[in-house]
Amino acid sequence: MATWSAPGKVFLFGEHAVVYGRPGLAMAIQHRVSVTVRKKRSPGRVKSPYINECLGAMGVRATVYVRSQLPSSSGLGSSAAVTVATLAAINDEFGKGLTREEVAQKGYEIERKVQKGRASATDTYVSSFGGVVLIRGTEKKRLPPMNLPLVVGNSRVSHNTSLMVEKVGRERERHPGIVNPILDAIGAVTQEALLQLHDPRVLGMLMNTNHALLDALGVGHPALTRLVLAARAAGAFGAKITGAGGGGCMIALAPSRAKGSVAGAIRTCDAQAIMTTLDTEGARKEKDG
Amino acid sequence: MATWSAPGKVFLFGEHAVVYGRPGLAMAIQHRVSVTVRKKRSPGRVKSPYINECLGAMGVRATVYVRSQLPSSSGLGSSAAVTVATLAAINDEFGKGLTREEVAQKGYEIERKVQKGRASATDTYVSSFGGVVLIRGTEKKRLPPMNLPLVVGNSRVSHNTSLMVEKVGRERERHPGIVNPILDAIGAVTQEALLQLHDPRVLGMLMNTNHALLDALGVGHPALTRLVLAARAAGAFGAKITGAGGGGCMIALAPSRAKGSVAGAIRTCDAQAIMTTLDTEGARKEKDG
């Protein structure tokens, strides 16, 4: 029996714009998915297509238990975390000898297969390695760890990442004069954020700008705007949509003393609030049991 | 005794971006300021600096009565409407023989003097001529009239146009890579709106995009965002900040049948709602009395 866990992720800056070659900044969060793998004794049916694919890809039969701190389909990378933790646990339990890079890569292939070609390599990379990750084209670079106290607000409005990505792509074809400069501005916000990672006040303002630009891209949602306004009014340095938008989650960067009141303000809007911070470990072995 | 009135204005598209050479679209609204001018009999003190300047510029002494349907300092061009109506009434009462163009030009000079060089020529032009006006650099062009049922929401949050214009200018110097593409995107939204003036549904979506881009420029305000969300939820085709932002007003383009419910939604947010539409007359003579 082997138990591994892997973290969820948020986009700090640059979601959607990364699809078009602009830089983006993602980070692993301390909320995670734990997966226990036990060599098969009794036949059992596993419901998650991700776990089925992991078992198939690793060529094993096993019983798999999942415990998650991440709401699913909310843009926090729960499917990547399930996939990475499952692969890491199988790798351990069956002595397959994969490196962390190989787990991340195989995880991406599985995500891509299940999501019919539309998955991003960011989620599985961040979940495998943890930390703050700069994405530029297909290149990924881990940045030094920093103090980033976040409150995630889950609007519970269902959304579909690939539909939102397609929507932006359609708008970009129809109105390149509007959409391309918005993508440029988002890229410039990410660049500026890279120079300001030490200053949460400036980062917060840049998050506000990025939020408005995502709204201008057409991936906003009134429920997300309400959460963003509530978080700012409760003392956050800044707040924005995180992930594909159109529903799902927002994040607020808050001074440690204000995290509780920001979370409270989000809950007052009938949303789920998750107080979290940077995870620097990525996939890790847990004690069994 | 002569009574003239002149309309207020809203920016449909492109405020702030027009300062940097991008196109903008303003329109006169049916809400107006009426000014009665009577050759002076008794000495009286006029409080408005605009009216004092008008009297000085025209070289006359007169008693001036003002009745306004426009909230002042809200971005609806009330100072330009007061100035244009006063000049037109003096022109009539004293037989000065100024053309409409000359009234607009003199009005601009007076606005510029009172506002210490910061006035825009758009307000006095639109107030003098009425209609929908395309602004491109110093060029102004009246477009054919169209049906544009608007609800104006006045947040009653005080703001200062020249401070907001200066703020955008400072941000543009500090972060040209962020601000210039936002201005480009706003310009492209206005260009697209010019092609879609017949389609209120598309215009509304473009207004939503313009709103988000103004928010990204840093001229948003939570009270304005709440009014915009409320108007959209109540059935508006789209809604946006109008004018300098940071307070002041928003506008919603609404199907005629939804104007009442949009106005109601705005009032529920403790703001003033003004149902209005396009004015095509500009400055006009009223019956005295």
Side-chain angles (χ1 to χ4, degrees):
Chain A
M1 192 162 79
T3 299
W4 282 67
S5 73
K9 73 98 198 26
V10 294
F11 256 98
L12 284 175
F13 292 98
E15 51 270 88
H16 285 291
V18 292
V19 177
Y20 302 97
R22 276 72 170 185
L25 209 52
M27 79 176 230
I29 57 176
Q30 294 202 337
H31 284 64
R32 358 185 100 229
V33 175
S34 272
V35 175
T36 300
V37 168
R38 185 199 302 255
K39 281 181 185 153
K40 189 120 185 173
R41 286 174 199 156
S42 59
R45 201 165 61 87
V46 175
K47 278 174 187 154
S48 158
Y50 296 98
I51 292 169
N52 275 333
E53 285 296 332
C54 288
L55 293 168
M58 300 290 273
V60 301
R61 284 156 53 88
T63 309
V64 179
Y65 303 94
V66 177
R67 290 172 304 286
S68 180
Q69 300 172 317
L70 299 171
S72 64
S73 301
S74 60
L76 300 182
S78 76
S79 71
V82 165
T83 304
V84 167
T86 304
L87 288 174
I90 293 171
N91 190 41
D92 186 5
E93 174 76 350
F94 290 88
K96 294 284 183 179
L98 297 187
T99 64
R100 196 180 282 263
E101 282 78 6
E102 287 165 335
V103 166
Q105 177 58 31
K106 201 175 275 290
Y108 170 51
E109 287 158 16
I110 287 166
E111 284 248 291
R112 208 170 45 177
K113 193 163 172 188
V114 176
Q115 293 169 24
K116 302 194 172 62
R118 297 193 193 99
S120 121
T122 300
D123 288 16
T124 40
Y125 183 92
V126 172
S127 189
S128 297
F129 288 93
V132 179
V133 176
L134 172 64
I135 305 123
R136 216 189 285 263
T138 58
E139 196 192 329
K140 287 176 197 64
K141 188 181 157 192
R142 283 185 81 208
L143 304 182
M146 61 203 75
N147 184 28
L148 285 167
L150 290 185
V151 183
V152 178
N154 177 12
S155 69
R156 297 197 182 93
V157 174
S158 75
H159 71 155
N160 181 313
T161 296
S162 48
L163 285 185
M164 297 313 291
V165 170
E166 280 165 26
K167 185 187 174 192
V168 172
R170 258 195 328 273
E171 279 301 306
R172 182 165 167 267
E173 275 173 36
R174 200 177 297 163
H175 301 303
I178 299 172
V179 174
N180 284 325
I182 296 174
L183 298 171
D184 288 340
I186 293 174
V189 167
T190 305
Q191 292 285 8
E192 183 63 23
L194 286 171
L195 306 174
Q196 303 285 355
L197 287 172
H198 56 284
D199 190 336
R201 212 167 284 276
V202 177
L203 275 191
M205 287 190 296
L206 291 166
M207 284 168 69
N208 291 344
T209 306
N210 197 157
H211 174 77
L213 291 167
L214 286 165
D215 203 12
L217 272 187
V219 301
H221 188 283
L224 291 169
T225 302
R226 273 194 292 273
L227 297 183
V228 161
L229 289 185
R232 291 177 191 159
F237 291 126
K240 65 182 273 292
I241 293 165
T242 191
C249 291
M250 48 71 70
I251 51 171
L253 182 63
S256 297
R257 56 179 163 68
K259 276 176 81 165
S261 73
V262 169
I266 287 169
R267 288 182 191 120
T268 301
C269 301
D270 296 323
Q272 177 188 16
I274 302 171
M275 288 189 269
T276 192
T277 186
L278 177 66
D279 166 83
T280 56
E281 295 183 275
R284 75 176 179 222
K285 187 171 170 67
E286 305 283 344
K287 276 184 201 142
D288 294 322
Chain B
M1 192 161 81
T3 299
W4 281 68
S5 72
K9 72 99 199 23
V10 294
F11 256 98
L12 283 174
F13 292 98
E15 50 270 88
H16 286 290
V18 292
V19 177
Y20 303 97
R22 275 72 171 186
L25 209 51
M27 80 176 229
I29 58 175
Q30 294 202 335
H31 283 65
R32 353 186 103 230
V33 175
S34 272
V35 175
T36 300
V37 168
R38 184 199 303 252
K39 282 181 185 154
K40 189 119 183 175
R41 287 175 199 156
S42 60
R45 201 166 61 87
V46 174
K47 278 174 187 155
S48 158
Y50 296 99
I51 292 169
N52 275 332
E53 286 295 333
C54 288
L55 293 169
M58 300 290 274
V60 300
R61 285 157 53 87
T63 308
V64 179
Y65 303 94
V66 177
R67 291 173 303 287
S68 180
Q69 300 173 319
L70 299 170
S72 64
S73 299
S74 61
L76 301 182
S78 76
S79 71
V82 166
T83 304
V84 166
T86 303
L87 288 173
I90 293 172
N91 190 41
D92 186 3
E93 174 75 350
F94 291 87
K96 293 284 185 181
L98 297 186
T99 64
R100 197 180 282 263
E101 283 77 8
E102 287 165 335
V103 165
Q105 178 58 31
K106 202 176 274 289
Y108 170 49
E109 286 158 16
I110 287 167
E111 284 248 292
R112 209 170 44 178
K113 194 164 172 189
V114 176
Q115 294 170 23
K116 302 194 171 62
R118 297 193 193 97
S120 120
T122 299
D123 289 16
T124 40
Y125 183 92
V126 172
S127 190
S128 297
F129 289 93
V132 180
V133 176
L134 172 63
I135 305 123
R136 217 189 285 263
T138 58
E139 195 192 331
K140 287 175 197 65
K141 189 182 157 192
R142 285 184 82 209
L143 304 182
M146 60 203 76
N147 182 29
L148 285 166
L150 290 184
V151 183
V152 178
N154 177 12
S155 69
R156 296 198 183 92
V157 174
S158 74
H159 72 154
N160 181 313
T161 297
S162 48
L163 285 185
M164 298 312 291
V165 170
E166 281 166 24
K167 185 186 175 193
V168 172
R170 261 196 324 276
E171 279 301 304
R172 182 165 166 268
E173 275 173 35
R174 200 177 296 163
H175 301 304
I178 298 172
V179 174
N180 284 325
I182 295 174
L183 297 172
D184 287 341
I186 293 175
V189 167
T190 304
Q191 292 286 8
E192 182 63 23
L194 286 171
L195 306 174
Q196 303 285 354
L197 286 172
H198 57 283
D199 189 336
R201 212 168 285 276
V202 176
L203 275 191
M205 288 192 294
L206 291 167
M207 285 169 69
N208 291 344
T209 305
N210 196 159
H211 174 78
L213 291 167
L214 286 166
D215 202 13
L217 273 188
V219 302
H221 188 284
L224 291 169
T225 303
R226 273 193 293 272
L227 297 183
V228 161
L229 289 185
R232 291 176 191 160
F237 290 127
K240 65 181 273 292
I241 293 166
T242 190
C249 291
M250 48 70 70
I251 50 171
L253 182 65
S256 297
R257 56 178 164 67
K259 275 177 83 165
S261 72
V262 169
I266 287 170
R267 289 183 190 120
T268 301
C269 300
D270 295 324
Q272 178 189 14
I274 302 171
M275 288 190 268
T276 193
T277 185
L278 177 65
D279 165 83
T280 56
E281 295 183 275
R284 75 175 178 222
K285 187 171 171 65
E286 304 285 344
K287 276 185 203 143
D288 295 322

